[in-house]
Amino acid sequence: ANDFKQRTVKHYMERGISRWKYYFSKLVVGWTVAAVLLLVAFATGMVCYKLFFETNDVSYMTLGNMLPYILCEMLCHMAVATFVISMVFFIRNSTVCMIINFVCFFFGYFALNRVRDLLNIDYDFTAFWAFSSVQGIGIERAAQRMPLAILIFFGYLIILGGLTMLHFRKRDVA
């Protein structure tokens, strides 16, 4: 959001960078940061697990189980990064974006579950909420969740990315 306040966006537009390239570069940086932080957190968690909590039952912790788990988590984190970056491009106010993302992250999952319970719906539509999918993937069932993680990522990319680009294309960058 500071790019808009400091007129960085306008500077890039005047230099001939297309809006699409600018937006996509922000997405790629957001995805990279999300992936790197996820890998660091995963490695730290594995080291702590091996040092402090190792049990004899680690049969599910094979490379065949871990790789789909990491990829599912990465796709969900990248979907969340797409959501966050899209909100910044829509709202252009860092404080408001942080509040919206905080509410979505901490209360969105609980609110969706509460709505599902109130309406007595058996279908788990919270699975499509990237914030809840980040927490809902288990190592032992990650391979089955891979198609859903791919669907979530590309759904967020196409829907939010498309809406953001439509909005960004029509809105002044000054």
Side-chain angles (χ1 to χ4, degrees):
N2 287 336
D3 287 356
F4 292 100
K5 286 181 185 176
Q6 297 171 352
R7 300 181 188 256
T8 306
V9 177
K10 186 176 182 178
H11 172 73
Y12 283 120
M13 300 304 122
E14 289 172 349
R15 296 196 68 188
I17 304 286
S18 71
R19 292 173 187 237
W20 173 249
K21 281 184 182 179
Y22 183 78
Y23 175 66
F24 192 70
S25 70
K26 292 292 184 179
L27 283 178
V28 169
V29 168
W31 297 337
T32 304
V33 168
V36 168
L37 291 177
L38 173 71
L39 291 174
V40 168
F42 182 77
T44 304
M46 290 303 297
V47 167
C48 289
Y49 176 77
K50 288 287 186 188
L51 290 175
F52 303 114
F53 304 108
E54 186 169 1
T55 63
N56 293 333
D57 183 27
V58 290
S59 58
Y60 64 91
M61 296 183 78
T62 64
L63 184 61
N65 286 343
M66 295 304 234
L67 191 59
Y69 174 75
I70 293 170
L71 291 175
C72 281
E73 286 283 343
M74 196 174 295
L75 286 169
C76 289
H77 279 80
M78 289 166 59
V80 170
T82 302
F83 178 84
V84 170
I85 292 166
S86 295
M87 287 299 103
V88 169
F89 273 79
F90 269 111
I91 298 170
R92 298 184 183 182
N93 184 322
S94 298
T95 305
V96 174
C97 288
M98 287 188 334
I99 292 169
I100 289 172
N101 291 320
F102 176 79
V103 168
C104 288
F105 185 74
F106 287 108
F107 300 113
Y109 176 69
F110 300 114
L112 287 175
N113 274 327
R114 185 70 181 136
V115 167
R116 187 185 69 180
D117 293 342
L118 287 173
L119 297 176
N120 201 18
I121 299 172
D122 289 332
Y123 182 71
D124 184 19
F125 58 86
T126 61
F128 297 102
W129 185 242
F131 291 95
S132 66
S133 291
V134 165
Q135 299 149 353
I137 299 170
I139 292 173
E140 61 281 349
R141 57 191 174 135
Q144 294 90 4
R145 301 246 341 183
M146 183 64 77
L148 179 61
I150 293 169
L151 178 70
I152 289 171
F153 172 70
F154 282 108
Y156 275 57
L157 178 62
I158 292 167
I159 294 168
L160 289 174
L163 289 174
T164 302
M165 276 311 300
L166 284 173
H167 178 71
F168 187 40
R169 198 171 68 195
K170 295 178 188 268
R171 190 167 180 187
D172 188 23
V173 293

